[in-house]
Amino acid sequence: MSEAALLSNAAAEPKTLVEGAYQRLRRDIIEGVHAPGEKLRVEHLKDQYDVGAGTLREALLLLVTDALVVTQGQRGFRVAPISIADFEDITRTRVLLETEALRQSITLGGDDWEASVVAAFHRLSRAEEKLADHDPGTTEEWEKRNRAFHEALISASPSRWIRHFQNILYQQSERYRRISPFRQPIERDIHAEHQALFDATLARDTTRATSILTEHILRTLDAVKRMPTDFFTGKKKL
Amino acid sequence: MSEAALLSNAAAEPKTLVEGAYQRLRRDIIEGVHAPGEKLRVEHLKDQYDVGAGTLREALLLLVTDALVVTQGQRGFRVAPISIADFEDITRTRVLLETEALRQSITLGGDDWEASVVAAFHRLSRAEEKLADHDPGTTEEWEKRNRAFHEALISASPSRWIRHFQNILYQQSERYRRISPFRQPIERDIHAEHQALFDATLARDTTRATSILTEHILRTLDAVKRMPTDFFTGKKKL
DNA sequence: TCAAGCATTTTTCTCGAGATTTGATTAAGC
DNA sequence: GCTTAATCAAATCTCGAGAAAAATGCTTGA
């Protein structure tokens, strides 16, 4: 695993079996294939992912890094549980880090940065058009481009650590968004928000850009808070 | 490894060999026993730490979590390299997170929190007195109490994620401080700073407390920046 | 009927050996 | 003399089996 993989979880070519299993497992957890709180038995999963027991253990250990898997003492591995409080924490911390990174980007970003933002926004807009037409299977693509757009915005920040932490948190919030009850159709408003964010950023209006970004991120919080609270306590398999 | 271990790296009783090796390795890296950039050969280390090869691999993988060890492709493990830019990044990000956490603590902290801050400050003060008398071997103890004080200050923050990230960064900066050329005698001024920080916090003066904390953290940065720049490029063993 | 203690079964954790890949040394060719 | 290729050694990655621990079910007794 390269430093890039360490600091960004980028989807590089898996050069080792551990990496491969790690990436597939991570995707499956984020997409909800493995439910929150679910026990992850090495014996079962090693067949499912076609690797040895030791290799799978190492992959699970790497997922502990991302806080997508928890492990305690001698009692094996488990998909990280979810809670409203946790999602609120993730969201607010994301705001703190991402606004700071955006501030730095706007201050320091050059032509290359602007170009990458323009490009990412363009790609995202196209995906949102297709989404409005209710094309099936485009959600996956939108998800990737949305992330790419957010990453482009802060890519001129010189702080590798902020970007590293931001990646972890984005991953976390993506899992929350994808878990069924939260899953909501991507509305038309989202595009307007992205447009406003894009405009303010390119205009180098730091105050306005960070303000929009804050609202944008916090919006996802409302949807979750409207969920029935017993969802979290109800279906945990112990 | 418990959730506590995941989110705080707390020095809990090592319930498993992997954990034990992980903790000892981490301490040795932070203390500079394994120099930055040094290659970590599994075959050598497994004897040194009295565990099997697979077990040591898992411990190293956990250290990748903390960004104390890096690994690329099929080329094994290596102690994370150091650089001035990295330390500056660590320090500034620490300021961002720690001031926010302190802000939250001051706003939300109750009597229990105040009590823990008072207690931690008292312990730290005693350690600083002993340090002024040039007692040998007290640096270790001061290091622990200093960390405990900083943790107590932000312990009333409800954000587990901020505290988690703060832990990682504190660990990182501790390594930088301990690596020989940076190693500087703990001066008397430090105590005055801690005192001021303590006073402002208990007075619930958010603005003043965060301001002092910022200066306090940034101070360590100056010392490093005064170092000869070729230190970083010079002794890297490749 | 319920609780407590014991035995069984499952699962995790640990280890050493085999298969691949990387890096280094040496030799050949231009 | 310098670059390129091939051979060899070292280290990493991978796997399955054995030891330790935890979870489960069953029997026994009140």
Side-chain angles (χ1 to χ4, degrees):
Chain A
M1 190 160 47
S2 65
E3 191 191 2
L6 162 65
L7 287 182
S8 78
N9 296 314
E13 287 302 297
K15 272 293 171 196
T16 166
L17 283 188
V18 174
E19 262 189 77
Y22 162 69
Q23 289 181 10
R24 279 179 292 160
L25 259 167
R26 187 180 60 189
R27 203 196 41 187
D28 285 348
I29 290 175
I30 289 176
E31 292 183 0
V33 176
H34 301 296
E38 183 184 312
K39 194 120 180 35
L40 295 168
R41 286 182 205 78
V42 177
E43 283 302 311
H44 286 182
L45 268 55
K46 82 188 179 94
D47 300 326
Q48 195 172 335
Y49 289 89
D50 263 315
V51 290
T55 306
L56 191 82
R57 263 187 74 81
E58 294 192 2
L60 287 170
L61 242 28
L62 281 177
L63 284 164
V64 173
T65 301
D66 300 328
L68 288 171
V69 165
V70 294
T71 164
Q72 46 175 323
Q74 211 102 302
R75 268 176 270 171
F77 298 90
R78 205 173 267 281
V79 178
I82 58 174
S83 72
I84 294 183
D86 183 46
F87 186 64
E88 181 157 2
D89 187 9
I90 289 167
T91 306
R92 295 196 186 283
T93 308
R94 254 189 79 195
V95 168
L96 178 69
L97 295 179
E98 220 162 314
T99 55
E100 175 62 24
L102 179 58
R103 211 169 285 129
Q104 294 174 359
S105 267
I106 290 177
T107 307
L108 301 169
D111 294 344
D112 291 345
W113 168 69
E114 280 190 9
S116 72
V117 171
V118 171
F121 177 69
H122 181 74
R123 282 195 211 93
L124 179 58
S125 299
R126 281 292 153 87
E128 278 164 349
E129 286 170 14
K130 289 202 188 89
L131 216 54
D133 299 341
H134 298 90
D135 282 4
T138 47
T139 317
E140 197 75 22
E141 195 57 29
W142 179 86
E143 196 61 68
K144 284 172 71 173
R145 298 189 180 186
N146 183 50
R147 175 166 198 163
F149 177 56
H150 278 261
E151 265 174 13
L153 284 174
I154 65 174
S155 64
S157 161
S159 175
R160 302 174 70 83
W161 281 101
I162 290 184
R163 295 207 308 276
H164 173 49
F165 292 150
Q166 193 272 338
N167 266 312
I168 293 176
L169 292 176
Y170 188 93
Q171 202 167 242
Q172 288 284 329
S173 60
E174 185 179 346
R175 181 168 76 119
Y176 275 88
R177 268 188 287 115
R178 290 200 169 203
I179 287 171
S180 26
F182 309 121
R183 196 121 205 201
Q184 49 184 339
I186 292 121
E187 294 156 26
R188 196 71 199 171
D189 301 8
I190 303 271
H191 180 66
E193 282 183 41
H194 283 150
Q195 179 77 55
L197 180 54
F198 173 75
D199 292 341
T201 300
L202 280 206
R204 308 265 175 172
D205 186 339
T206 309
T207 314
R208 195 157 62 91
T210 55
S211 162
I212 294 171
L213 181 59
T214 301
E215 289 305 314
H216 180 62
I217 296 175
L218 286 180
R219 183 142 316 182
T220 60
L221 194 54
D222 299 333
V224 174
K225 282 195 166 177
R226 280 196 298 270
M227 288 293 120
T229 51
D230 61 341
F231 166 74
F232 293 96
T233 53
K235 75 190 297 188
K236 269 185 202 158
K237 305 170 193 172
L238 291 175
Chain B
M1 186 161 50
S2 65
E3 191 190 0
L6 162 65
L7 287 182
S8 78
N9 296 315
E13 289 301 300
K15 273 292 171 198
T16 167
L17 284 188
V18 174
E19 263 188 77
Y22 163 69
Q23 289 181 11
R24 279 178 293 159
L25 258 167
R26 185 180 60 189
R27 202 196 42 187
D28 285 348
I29 290 175
I30 289 177
E31 292 183 0
V33 176
H34 302 295
E38 183 184 312
K39 193 124 183 33
L40 296 168
R41 284 182 203 79
V42 177
E43 283 302 311
H44 287 180
L45 269 55
K46 81 187 181 95
D47 300 326
Q48 194 172 335
Y49 289 89
D50 263 316
V51 291
T55 305
L56 191 82
R57 261 187 75 82
E58 294 193 1
L60 286 169
L61 242 27
L62 282 176
L63 284 164
V64 173
T65 300
D66 300 326
L68 288 171
V69 165
V70 293
T71 165
Q72 45 176 324
Q74 222 83 308
R75 269 176 271 170
F77 299 90
R78 204 173 266 282
V79 178
I82 58 174
S83 72
I84 295 183
D86 183 46
F87 187 63
E88 182 158 0
D89 186 10
I90 289 167
T91 306
R92 295 196 186 283
T93 308
R94 255 189 79 195
V95 169
L96 178 68
L97 294 179
E98 221 161 314
T99 54
E100 174 62 24
L102 180 58
R103 211 169 285 129
Q104 295 174 359
S105 268
I106 290 177
T107 307
L108 301 168
D111 294 344
D112 291 345
W113 169 68
E114 281 190 9
S116 72
V117 171
V118 171
F121 178 68
H122 181 75
R123 283 194 212 94
L124 179 58
S125 299
R126 281 294 152 87
E128 278 166 348
E129 287 170 13
K130 289 202 188 89
L131 215 55
D133 299 342
H134 298 91
D135 283 2
T138 48
T139 317
E140 197 75 22
E141 193 59 30
W142 179 86
E143 196 62 66
K144 282 173 71 173
R145 298 189 179 186
N146 183 51
R147 176 169 196 161
F149 177 57
H150 278 262
E151 265 174 13
L153 284 174
I154 65 174
S155 64
S157 161
S159 174
R160 302 172 70 83
W161 281 101
I162 289 184
R163 294 208 307 277
H164 173 49
F165 292 150
Q166 193 273 337
N167 266 313
I168 293 176
L169 291 176
Y170 188 93
Q171 203 166 244
Q172 287 285 329
S173 60
E174 185 178 346
R175 181 167 76 119
Y176 275 89
R177 268 189 287 114
R178 289 198 170 204
I179 287 171
S180 25
F182 310 119
R183 197 130 202 190
Q184 49 185 338
I186 291 120
E187 294 157 25
R188 197 71 200 171
D189 300 8
I190 303 272
H191 180 65
E193 282 183 41
H194 283 151
Q195 179 77 53
L197 179 54
F198 174 74
D199 292 340
T201 301
L202 281 205
R204 309 263 174 172
D205 187 338
T206 309
T207 314
R208 196 155 61 91
T210 53
S211 161
I212 294 171
L213 181 59
T214 301
E215 289 305 313
H216 180 61
I217 296 175
L218 286 180
R219 182 140 318 182
T220 60
L221 193 55
D222 298 334
V224 174
K225 281 195 165 177
R226 279 196 299 269
M227 287 293 121
T229 50
D230 60 342
F231 166 73
F232 294 95
T233 54
K235 76 192 298 187
K236 268 183 201 159
K237 305 169 194 172
L238 292 175

